[in-house]
Amino acid sequence: MPAADRVDAAGVALRGVGRSFATADGVHEVLAGIDLDLAPGSTVALLGASGSGKSTLLRLVAGLDTPTAGDVRVGGEEVRGVHPRTAVVFQEPRLLPWRDLAGNVALGLPPGTARADGRAEVAHWLGTVGLEGFAGHRPRRVSGGMAQRAALARALVRRPGVLLLDEPFAALDALTRLKMQDLLDDVQRGTGATVLFVTHDVDEALHLADRVLVLGTSGERAGAHVVRDLHVDVPRPRDRGDAALAALRVDLLELLGVPRAHA
């Protein structure tokens, strides 16, 4: 990936972050006392059981939600609304059916981008994700994997310092998912962006992340917090068959409630 694709990666900091919701049965505390620092240019995965607050935490960093306690900062600035240095990729591509892929990617351009520059940026990022021949296709004419590539290009055209992904490959078939994981790894290493992504897939987390954060509850704290901060000291790009990853996989699965097999 060309040096020109490098972005101004931003760090992320959370201090005492909590998020609770009012329900008919009282206050439901989803997150409590989250303290985190994500280094600029790092890739961090969020793991945890369903309902553990992974997507809530991601939305707080994106500025799509507001904490009920503590604060979130991107590049040292408190997040108040959608932050200009972040971009989000959701589980579903969320492409507008009446726009072609180029038109959908163009929606991610920063406000005020000149028309010629915008066309060049859109074409560049479509090419980066392997869609250079499909700019004029409508979403209904492409596969699910191609649609998600377009969603990734829409985020990248913003040249974000922090790229946020909420289970971006969960709806894809197994082989396409592996290819998309490798594409994301290539893009992150090429741009140098900070990446925070939510996944339920332990193997995906270990293949892509420098750190794996496991959210859960323990003790008397009602809300979820980080119960494990695992540093994956294996150089990227990684071999999925690496024995070091296999050992970490067993540990993470145990933590998530999947015990080792016993003879």
Side-chain angles (χ1 to χ4, degrees):
M1 196 170 288
D5 287 342
R6 302 295 291 184
V7 301
D8 182 16
V12 178
L14 291 81
R15 292 290 179 269
V17 168
R19 183 66 172 101
S20 59
F21 298 89
T23 71
D25 298 320
V27 175
H28 174 50
E29 194 170 18
V30 178
L31 298 171
I34 302 285
D35 290 305
L36 280 178
D37 286 288
L38 309 186
S42 62
T43 300
V44 179
L46 288 173
L47 275 177
S50 294
S52 61
K54 303 182 298 298
S55 294
T56 299
L57 193 153
L58 194 84
R59 289 175 60 84
L60 294 175
V61 176
L64 298 173
D65 194 7
T66 303
T68 46
D71 66 81
V72 180
R73 294 180 181 273
V74 169
E77 299 177 354
E78 186 172 0
V79 174
R80 295 182 179 275
V82 176
H83 197 281
R85 295 185 68 186
T86 64
V88 185
V89 179
F90 298 98
Q91 184 173 337
E92 299 296 333
R94 301 188 181 184
L95 303 179
L96 300 180
W98 58 86
R99 282 180 174 248
D100 58 21
L101 296 190
N104 273 283
V105 172
L107 292 173
L109 288 166
T113 303
R115 181 173 297 182
D117 292 340
R119 284 198 298 266
E121 282 286 283
V122 167
H124 172 71
W125 290 108
L126 280 171
T128 298
V129 301
L131 293 176
E132 58 277 352
F134 298 89
H137 284 53
R138 298 287 178 89
R140 67 177 180 273
R141 294 186 57 199
V142 301
S143 68
M146 293 168 73
Q148 198 64 331
R149 286 172 183 262
L152 179 59
R154 182 179 57 200
L156 292 171
V157 78
R158 190 178 176 89
R159 294 187 178 264
V162 180
L163 180 62
L164 304 164
L165 306 102
D166 192 358
E167 294 193 72
F169 312 137
L172 304 177
D173 66 83
L175 183 58
T176 302
R177 182 170 187 151
L178 295 179
K179 292 178 179 178
M180 288 297 292
Q181 290 169 4
D182 290 341
L183 172 61
L184 176 59
D185 192 40
D186 289 343
V187 166
Q188 191 283 324
R189 288 184 293 109
T191 63
T194 307
V195 170
L196 177 64
F197 70 99
V198 170
T199 182
H200 279 99
D201 188 329
V202 170
D203 292 319
E204 183 168 271
L206 290 173
H207 183 62
L208 294 173
D210 305 311
R211 291 167 67 195
V212 179
L213 305 177
V214 181
L215 294 183
T217 56
S218 61
E220 297 180 355
R221 297 166 68 179
H225 51 277
V226 177
V227 297
R228 181 73 180 275
D229 184 348
L230 176 69
H231 290 254
V232 186
D233 295 321
V234 178
R236 294 164 47 213
R238 294 174 181 149
D239 181 346
R240 288 184 171 87
D242 193 305
L245 297 181
L248 294 174
R249 179 179 187 271
V250 172
D251 290 343
L252 284 174
L253 286 172
E254 275 200 309
L255 185 62
L256 292 167
V258 181
R260 298 170 189 253
H262 296 287

